[in-house]
Amino acid sequence: MSEGRVNIVLPVHVKAPVEKVFPLCCPVEEYRWIPGWKCHLIHCPNDKVELGTIFSEVSSAPFLLSSFRGKTTWTAIMHDPDNYKLHFRLDNEKSSSLYTIELQDDGRGGTAGTLDFTYTAINDKGGDYGVKNMEEKIRVMLSIISAMLRHYCETGKMLTFAGLQKIVLSEPGLSVMDKIRMGLNRVVVLAMYK
């Protein structure tokens, strides 16, 4: 871990077949399993993620920008559905990050894999919050994504806002200010994408 750079790798396991889990890693499909998900599709001609898909969102601002607002643009730089691999570059005013999703059949009818996120500050603003704090925030973000995906795949239902709030409020890796930012971010998301 160098100054201004953080890498977090989170193993994931879902009790559902990989061929059903992998297609959910798509900005259009995320409306099915992420409570309150909103994004602006910039380039997604077939309404499915593919190489070159571009979209922007503000939901990640509390994690990547340490703010309740701010846009991050995602670009699919690798899409290999035959091997269940998807890589995104995420760009915002503070950082440029690489987020890789690599899944596989676990041999028991489920899905195993990793979420690998490398955050790189692109200016002093991106490094101001501190590497340790950023490392913890990204770990929490990936854990929440994993929990929402697992819940949907294993129950067939989107996690409720109350369930999501329970996860967020019980997360020791988030400060009180982080939790306030997440609440304010929810208001921003609703206002931006009416």
Side-chain angles (χ1 to χ4, degrees):
M1 171 173 51
S2 65
E3 189 171 327
R5 177 171 285 204
V6 171
N7 178 249
I8 299 294
V9 178
L10 181 75
V12 294
H13 188 264
V14 179
K15 294 177 186 171
V18 67
E19 59 272 7
K20 292 191 178 192
V21 175
F22 183 77
L24 295 171
C25 302
C26 165
V28 176
E29 293 298 312
E30 288 172 350
Y31 283 93
R32 294 172 54 190
W33 60 273
I34 298 178
W37 173 249
K38 304 286 183 199
C39 71
H40 171 68
L41 295 174
I42 298 167
H43 179 74
C44 192
N46 299 309
D47 283 341
K48 298 285 181 202
V49 71
E50 56 191 74
L51 183 65
T53 292
I54 304 171
F55 66 97
S56 63
E57 51 75 32
V58 298
S59 297
S60 64
F63 301 102
L64 301 179
L65 295 164
S66 300
S67 176
F68 64 89
R69 59 192 166 124
K71 178 175 68 172
T72 295
T73 300
W74 297 54
T75 303
I77 58 171
M78 198 270 275
H79 180 247
D80 181 0
D82 294 334
N83 293 300
Y84 310 112
K85 295 180 181 182
L86 178 60
H87 297 185
F88 286 103
R89 187 184 74 235
L90 286 71
D91 296 298
N92 59 48
E93 66 183 35
K94 293 184 178 183
S95 65
S96 183
S97 301
L98 175 64
Y99 177 36
T100 68
I101 302 163
E102 299 194 356
L103 306 175
Q104 61 190 20
D105 185 314
D106 71 356
R108 299 181 305 274
T111 300
T114 57
L115 305 180
D116 186 328
F117 199 101
T118 301
Y119 170 95
T120 303
I122 59 171
N123 53 38
D124 290 341
K125 288 183 192 177
D128 282 348
Y129 194 65
V131 172
K132 179 64 177 162
N133 289 332
M134 191 54 69
E135 183 176 339
E136 187 61 19
K137 286 175 127 181
I138 292 169
R139 185 198 61 75
V140 170
M141 180 179 78
L142 295 179
S143 295
I144 291 170
I145 290 169
S146 176
M148 291 184 296
L149 180 62
R150 186 171 43 256
H151 185 272
Y152 179 79
C153 290
E154 294 178 4
T155 69
K157 297 177 185 173
M158 181 186 296
L159 187 67
T160 64
F161 276 111
L164 180 58
Q165 185 176 26
K166 185 176 180 180
I167 291 170
V168 169
L169 292 176
S170 67
E171 182 54 61
L174 295 175
S175 69
V176 171
M177 194 62 210
D178 291 331
K179 293 172 185 179
I180 290 169
R181 282 187 197 110
M182 290 183 74
L184 292 172
N185 176 261
R186 173 81 180 120
V187 174
V188 169
V189 169
L190 290 173
M192 285 184 68
Y193 298 103
K194 282 188 176 182

